[in-house]
Amino acid sequence: MTGLFTTTRRGAIGLALGAAAAIGLGTPAAAEVSFEGKTIEWIIPFSPGGGSDTWARFNAPLLGKYLPGSPTVVVVNEPGGGSTKGANLFAARAKPDGLTILGTSGSTQFPYLLGDPRVRYDYSEWKVAMAAPTGGVVYTSPSTGVTAPEDIGKLAGQKLVYASQGATSLDLVPLLGFKLMGLDVQHVFGFKGRGDGRLSFERGETNIDYQTSSAYIKNVQPLVDNGTAVPLFSWGALDENGNLVRDPTFPDLPSFAEAYETLTGKAPEGPEYDAYFAFFTAGFPAQKMVFLPKDTPQEIVDAYQAAFEAMKADPDYQANKEAVLGTYEQVTGKAADTLFQRGTIISPELRKQVVDMLAADYGVKLGDD
Amino acid sequence: MMDTLLSALANLLTLQHMAYMLLGVSVGLVIGVIPGLGGIAGLSLLMPFLYGMDEVSALGMLIGLVAVIPTSDTFSSVLMGIPGSSASQATVLDGFPMAKKGQAARALSAAFVSSLFGGIVGAVILTGFVLIARPLILMFGSAELFMLALFGLSMVAVLAGRSLPKGLAACAVGLLIGSIGGAPATGEFRMIFGTEYLYDGIPLVIIGLGLFAVPEISDLLRKNSTIAEGNSLGSGWLLGIRDWWNNLFLSIRCSSLGCMIGAIPGLGGSVVDWISYGHAVQTAKDTSQFGKGDPRGIVAPESSNNAMQGGALLPTMLFGIPGSGSMAVFLGGMVLIGIEPGPSMVGPDLDITYSIIWSLALANIMGAGICMGLARPISGLTAIPFPYLAPFMIALICFAAFQATRDLSDLVALLVIGMVGILMKRFGWPRPALLIGYVLAPQAETFFYQALQFDGWGFVIRPGVLIIGAMTLVSVYFGLKNRVDDTGPTGEAVVTSHASRNIQIGFAVAMMAFFGLALWDATSHSFLGAVFPIGVTVVGVVFGGILLLHLMRGHKDHPAFFDYEIVGDHVGNEGNGWFWSGPAWIAGLVVTTALVGFYIAMIGFFLTFLRLRANASWPRTLLLTACAAGFILGLAYMLNLNFPSGWLQSAYDLPWPFR
């Protein structure tokens, strides 16, 4: 009981301090929190190299610089089990002292949402410190006869081929999305990454593909300019209330919902759309998140949020953020919370619906222990 | 064009750039010398320093590191028989026997000059190739990549050893081990038997160390002598350079091969050394010395693995597709300093591309130069009595092994694979054949499935497929003609291995049981998930069956019989230890780790081993233990890693490094 009481009281203090900071009294949130001389371990459940690792290594020194007491933040890679191993370790071992944080990705969210037997972590127990959205653009080959996004209707009834990393990977979003749109897409699995898939598109093996925003700008835009690729739509972004809007990076491209409407004549809705929407949120707007463990006092959470906000003005952040984050801003506070909720909660019925579909159509089994 | 070349060159030759490159080279040297640590560890080490550095210096540092690793990892391959990284597994085959003959310095200098040359050839090829690389790389579709995987597998023919059925059965075992974990087509998990560790398959580093390092350590432990038999280390320094010079054309061919294979995304660098080793054997007139210390067996893989690093830069820079783990980290580094890979690397950013390529050449020169200088003093290691060296080597391979997933299971897997390796070595089952199968299994299966999905069976008449298919047939033909045996002394021995026929049959039956297990597991999977393991199993059972027939019916001198315990060169010497003493020590370390965590276990292991096995005095024991403990601690601190924990750690909360 005492423990519970303490937590609540601390939470109250933190809230008060957070509010003070929010209305601009100028004091950094939670002045009593200090990590001076400490080392903070940032667990990344992936191997070195690759998106999540690079993202954490970009943020780590800045986070250290702006956390109270300027601690050293080190990135600790704990790869394995498609990122479930590192997340399990964090759930089992991290203490609520702010010295261990976890960086997750869509690949950590998806097994959780699907009910993978390897998952022994529970997102709802954790405190979100920051969320880093991303976006992506779907494009097709001109051989389909499509010359502009408005022509998407021409794809109906055509045989499309997509290079996928696997039915339970991040490519579950295009799988569910294309299915929802009624497109006849053959998913060829076993690709190592989206870059690999793009190569297959460039070789002419596939005729529909998507790339995340920065890869799209750098690698697909030249193809569009050459006339060897035609953009169709962006997956879209979420506004503060969690509504799907056009991706601000691609204001001229329709969002998924608009493209759906062009194809079918009505706005997307219903349980299948809800299922798609949960995985879309976990895979794009809430793709990368930073978590503090269960029972972490609110003032520590606030200190982290404040540090993540403060680093945005740093010249090092400004100089390299485009290459690492694309054109999206990392968010904290309410925005991060909305993404966290939307990207980690799925109703049991929707989960069952997706898992059953994957088993029936693609022979997917989620392991057997 | 000329302007671009010149401005790239000017950037490159500034003092600042050279200084940073030297820094990268030095870190790469140290990391490369430690077995199991390669580009990934080194690059992660340098990442935090990238902030605030200018592009050219940062790139110089990263390239310096990447370039030198395939050079410096040769030390452990040659001197200890531990593959320094996946790129120099084939070097062990002839390098280590040379070290055992006391020719370590010769082997090392041949390796370094080949590395140097390979790196430069790679850079020269890239300089011209980079401009036309995009369309060429795009010519390799899934169908062609599948054929390349088959081409790689054709090297099994040359590495199959004395008994072809044995070699093919070993390759089938490798293919099955490589197929453990998620199936490429459906994602279902094969042969995991409810073990979480097996979901991701067994990591390459474990297979490499288990098959090659553990059996050698175990052998040496029994002999109690030094690695180098005889006293002299040989002043083979110049001899090694002459070895390379005499095989200049082999070196050129292997460098070009390495550069090309590296440039094709999808195949991965871990087979390059085997392909060039196989090539060296296929084109040699006299193959009797391969596997026993033929310098050509060093020149070929070492020329190709440095050139491969250059080739691997192409898909990384032009398409943003990393060809290997270290290239993935390199890509991350590029992004951190604000360089995004893509078509612009051969457009507006061409000067960056050229400074990367030439940095590579320069770093190779620096690295090989430094290694040459170190070759003589470091090869002195082989003159140290082995009982003193053994605990370091065992600790090092365990440290290297748990880099894979940082889990106790890594050590258990190492032990199991190590025992398989020991038995394979004893009974003349070719370990390279298993390794090649393991490495190429995922590629062969994935690309075959994708090719069928994209083109249907029509893929077999694509021109690229036909060309690579013809190359494969030629390779098989020459391979069968020039088969090489890495199992030690053969032929002339008067004694035959027929005497231990029954245990040899027993081991073959055990391998058949493994096929049975795979088949049983496959029955529970969907067609797409099961077709590959079933196909491989059928091949394995057929050749395993032929082998069993040979073993049961064959005459006394049949090449299927082999037992190193009967024909090995140690037989008849005094004081051979217990056959299982090597794995027993490793098992002791693993069990203690499960109880008290790796760091405490390692210290205990050192104390016990040095006192009981090496009969060292207390002061010496304590000094050596302290050195090892400090060294491992320093490494772990720099790499930010936690040691595998045991029961003690789950019960009590201990401070790092005991955590």
Side-chain angles (χ1 to χ4, degrees):
Chain A
M1 278 320 277
T2 327
L4 191 69
F5 176 69
T6 327
T7 311
T8 328
R9 192 182 55 184
R10 283 187 171 183
I13 296 171
L15 265 179
L17 281 168
I23 51 170
L25 288 180
T27 40
E32 59 181 279
V33 176
S34 175
F35 296 112
E36 201 172 341
K38 297 277 174 48
T39 298
I40 289 171
E41 289 194 352
W42 186 341
I43 295 180
I44 289 297
F46 299 92
S47 308
S52 293
D53 182 63
T54 307
W55 166 71
R57 285 174 196 274
F58 165 74
N59 277 299
L62 293 162
L63 178 62
K65 189 168 166 186
Y66 289 100
L67 275 175
S70 304
T72 313
V73 180
V74 297
V75 174
V76 180
N77 301 91
E78 294 279 4
S83 88
T84 56
K85 189 190 152 209
N88 284 338
L89 265 177
F90 175 79
R93 293 207 196 140
K95 287 194 281 295
D97 52 10
L99 295 182
T100 315
I101 58 176
L102 174 74
T104 69
S105 122
S107 311
T108 328
Q109 271 94 259
F110 279 22
Y112 175 79
L113 292 175
L114 289 169
D116 188 302
R118 287 173 291 175
V119 169
R120 288 189 295 278
Y121 47 88
D122 185 353
Y123 273 97
S124 63
E125 291 176 341
W126 295 340
K127 309 279 171 70
V128 63
M130 180 265 267
T134 183
V137 175
V138 177
Y139 56 97
T140 187
S141 157
S143 65
T144 55
V146 175
T147 51
E150 305 82 73
D151 296 345
I152 192 168
K154 289 187 186 164
L155 291 181
Q158 287 206 45
K159 189 164 169 346
L160 300 171
V161 186
Y162 177 81
S164 167
Q165 299 168 73
T168 55
S169 73
L170 282 176
D171 283 335
L172 176 58
V173 176
L175 191 149
L176 294 172
F178 295 152
K179 195 177 161 68
L180 201 62
M181 289 176 144
L183 298 177
D184 175 19
V185 179
Q186 176 194 3
H187 293 266
V188 178
F189 300 111
F191 283 84
K192 293 283 173 295
R194 288 297 344 125
D196 230 12
R198 187 181 69 240
L199 210 60
S200 192
F201 178 87
E202 287 193 53
R203 290 194 297 247
E205 290 173 333
T206 68
N207 53 12
I208 192 164
D209 191 50
Y210 98 84
Q211 294 291 316
T212 51
S213 302
S214 49
Y216 178 84
I217 293 168
K218 196 76 183 175
N219 286 296
V220 184
Q221 194 58 49
L223 301 181
V224 173
D225 297 341
N226 277 342
T228 50
V230 182
L232 291 173
F233 57 87
S234 76
W235 295 115
L238 294 190
D239 66 11
E240 277 161 37
N241 303 316
N243 298 317
L244 187 72
V245 293
R246 281 192 177 193
D247 189 324
T249 314
F250 306 99
D252 299 333
L253 285 181
S255 70
F256 173 81
E258 292 172 74
Y260 180 92
E261 209 165 333
T262 312
L263 259 174
T264 61
K266 54 184 192 296
E269 57 178 358
E272 285 186 353
Y273 181 64
D274 292 342
Y276 160 81
F277 202 82
F279 285 98
F280 154 72
T281 313
F284 292 96
Q287 198 203 37
K288 297 204 191 327
M289 290 185 278
V290 178
F291 287 102
L292 289 151
K294 178 169 136 173
D295 300 333
T296 302
Q298 189 58 39
E299 69 247 31
I300 292 183
V301 180
D302 290 339
Y304 267 93
Q305 299 220 356
F308 276 119
E309 281 304 323
M311 72 159 78
K312 287 182 187 169
D314 194 285
D316 275 340
Y317 180 91
Q318 290 296 333
N320 289 324
K321 69 167 188 176
E322 187 110 353
V324 181
L325 304 169
T327 40
Y328 304 88
E329 279 295 346
Q330 305 192 126
V331 295
T332 58
K334 182 172 175 287
D337 232 34
T338 311
L339 293 177
F340 169 47
Q341 304 290 341
R342 286 291 194 122
T344 57
I345 296 174
I346 189 171
S347 75
E349 299 80 49
L350 289 182
R351 165 185 297 162
K352 188 174 177 321
Q353 177 192 320
V354 173
V355 171
D356 289 350
M357 185 277 289
L358 289 176
D361 293 1
Y362 300 97
V364 169
K365 278 181 253 171
L366 291 165
D368 57 10
D369 67 343
Chain B
M1 183 65 201
M2 229 26 222
D3 286 358
T4 316
L5 292 176
L6 285 177
S7 82
L9 201 61
N11 270 336
L12 199 67
L13 294 176
T14 57
L15 189 66
Q16 190 195 7
H17 180 72
M18 299 284 261
Y20 276 109
M21 191 190 287
L22 191 62
L23 181 71
V25 167
S26 316
V27 174
L29 273 176
V30 177
I31 290 289
V33 167
I34 302 166
L37 294 188
I40 299 180
L43 285 166
S44 333
L45 210 61
L46 290 183
M47 283 293 208
F49 303 105
L50 288 182
Y51 269 87
M53 286 177 66
D54 70 280
E55 265 175 23
V56 176
S57 309
L59 279 176
M61 187 168 83
L62 295 178
I63 294 276
L65 184 128
V66 173
V68 77
I69 284 182
T71 310
S72 61
D73 66 3
T74 311
F75 277 114
S76 67
S77 302
V78 168
L79 297 179
M80 308 186 199
I82 301 177
S85 72
S86 60
S88 62
Q89 281 162 342
T91 313
V92 176
L93 242 51
D94 280 291
F96 191 55
M98 282 180 79
K100 288 207 269 193
K101 287 192 217 161
Q103 298 179 338
R106 175 184 174 184
L108 286 174
S109 64
F112 296 142
V113 71
S114 306
S115 294
L116 166 68
F117 185 71
I120 294 177
V121 170
V124 170
I125 294 179
L126 287 184
T127 300
F129 187 59
V130 67
L131 295 172
I132 51 163
R134 261 186 83 84
L136 282 180
I137 288 176
L138 287 174
M139 281 164 64
F140 285 87
S142 300
E144 286 78 14
L145 291 172
F146 167 66
M147 290 308 291
L148 277 177
L150 278 194
F151 177 69
L153 280 173
S154 76
M155 291 303 159
V156 168
V158 79
L159 294 164
R162 294 199 298 167
S163 158
L164 193 60
K166 217 184 247 183
L168 292 173
C171 178
V173 172
L175 285 164
L176 286 176
I177 296 180
S179 74
I180 294 175
T186 58
E188 61 200 297
F189 295 98
R190 296 183 298 211
M191 293 179 78
I192 52 170
F193 310 113
T195 322
E196 214 156 283
Y197 181 74
L198 292 177
Y199 269 73
D200 293 334
I202 301 176
L204 171 62
V205 55
I206 307 267
I207 301 279
L209 291 172
L211 287 184
F212 293 99
V214 173
E216 295 304 341
I217 292 177
S218 159
D219 253 16
L220 287 164
L221 260 182
R222 297 176 60 201
K223 288 183 207 170
N224 248 344
S225 65
T226 57
I227 291 179
E229 290 154 12
N231 299 320
S232 86
L233 293 174
S235 51
W237 216 86
L238 285 171
L239 210 56
I241 298 182
R242 205 175 310 145
D243 285 333
W244 164 75
W245 180 250
N246 291 338
N247 295 296
L248 181 64
F249 288 101
L250 176 69
S251 180
I252 294 178
R253 289 198 305 270
C254 290
S255 313
S256 322
L257 195 74
C259 187
M260 293 298 153
I261 292 179
I264 300 166
L267 203 59
S270 9
V271 281
V272 164
D273 52 337
W274 290 110
I275 292 182
S276 27
Y277 186 89
H279 174 74
V281 181
Q282 286 168 350
T283 52
K285 285 206 180 67
D286 172 23
T287 60
S288 62
Q289 288 308 306
F290 278 104
K292 303 180 193 92
D294 192 317
R296 286 172 296 185
I298 296 175
V299 171
E302 287 300 316
S303 304
S304 69
N305 62 16
N306 281 59
M308 186 272 291
Q309 291 287 1
L313 279 171
L314 275 187
T316 313
M317 293 189 304
L318 301 185
F319 296 97
I321 299 171
S324 63
S326 52
M327 276 300 138
V329 187
F330 180 75
L331 187 65
M334 278 176 62
V335 172
L336 281 182
I337 50 179
I339 303 176
E340 280 181 84
S344 64
M345 296 298 284
V346 283
D349 296 335
L350 190 62
D351 56 329
I352 298 182
T353 309
Y354 274 120
S355 68
I356 289 179
I357 292 175
W358 293 340
S359 295
L360 192 71
L362 213 58
N364 268 300
I365 297 173
M366 283 185 188
I370 301 176
C371 286
M372 280 282 196
L374 294 174
R376 275 286 291 167
I378 294 191
S379 54
L381 277 178
T382 54
I384 296 175
F386 193 69
Y388 282 105
L389 212 52
F392 287 94
M393 284 171 65
I394 291 176
L396 268 182
I397 61 167
C398 289
F399 185 82
F402 74 69
Q403 296 306 307
T405 70
R406 308 207 170 148
D407 197 282
L408 180 65
S409 315
D410 285 327
L411 298 182
V412 178
L414 176 72
L415 187 62
V416 172
I417 300 289
M419 298 218 267
V420 174
I422 288 172
L423 289 172
M424 286 183 74
K425 184 177 182 204
R426 173 168 174 183
F427 297 128
W429 286 62
R431 292 166 286 165
L434 191 154
L435 189 83
I436 293 177
Y438 163 81
V439 171
L440 288 173
Q443 273 95 336
E445 182 182 8
T446 309
F447 293 134
F448 181 66
Y449 152 77
Q450 288 175 354
L452 273 187
Q453 292 277 313
F454 288 137
D455 298 324
W457 281 103
F459 87 82
V460 293
I461 52 161
R462 285 167 65 117
V465 170
L466 292 174
I467 294 170
I468 305 172
M471 278 165 56
T472 309
L473 290 179
V474 173
S475 163
V476 170
Y477 171 75
F478 280 103
L480 292 177
K481 224 174 86 182
N482 286 0
R483 290 228 306 276
V484 61
D485 187 12
D486 75 317
T487 45
T490 52
E492 306 85 32
V494 197
V495 279
T496 72
S497 302
H498 187 259
S500 65
R501 179 169 159 263
N502 288 338
I503 19 177
Q504 295 186 49
I505 292 177
F507 186 65
V509 168
M511 290 301 204
M512 293 290 263
F514 179 70
F515 293 136
L517 192 67
L519 201 60
W520 173 73
D521 178 78
T523 53
S524 65
H525 296 298
S526 67
F527 173 74
L528 277 178
V531 64
F532 179 78
I534 289 179
V536 172
T537 311
V538 169
V539 174
V541 167
V542 166
F543 287 102
I546 297 176
L547 175 67
L548 275 175
L549 210 65
H550 285 169
L551 288 174
M552 287 194 265
R553 296 280 171 79
H555 59 86
K556 281 192 158 192
D557 285 330
H558 197 284
F561 291 114
F562 185 88
D563 188 347
Y564 193 67
E565 291 304 292
I566 295 175
V567 298
D569 46 12
H570 64 290
V571 176
N573 294 353
E574 298 247 327
N576 283 325
W578 181 41
F579 183 72
W580 292 108
S581 65
W585 279 105
I586 299 177
L589 180 58
V590 176
V591 170
T592 336
T593 301
L595 290 176
V596 295
F598 182 74
Y599 197 63
I600 302 178
M602 191 202 74
I603 293 173
F605 172 75
F606 261 82
L607 294 174
T608 323
F609 192 96
L610 289 170
R611 283 295 296 166
L612 296 183
R613 185 69 179 74
N615 298 320
S617 63
W618 269 115
R620 193 178 259 192
T621 301
L622 291 176
L623 180 72
L624 287 174
T625 307
C627 287
F631 177 69
I632 296 279
L633 192 66
L635 264 184
Y637 178 76
M638 283 195 298
L639 296 171
N640 291 324
L641 61 91
N642 296 321
F643 295 108
S645 58
W647 169 84
L648 183 71
Q649 281 74 15
S650 60
Y652 299 96
D653 191 17
L654 300 171
W656 191 86
F658 304 107
R659 200 192 307 160

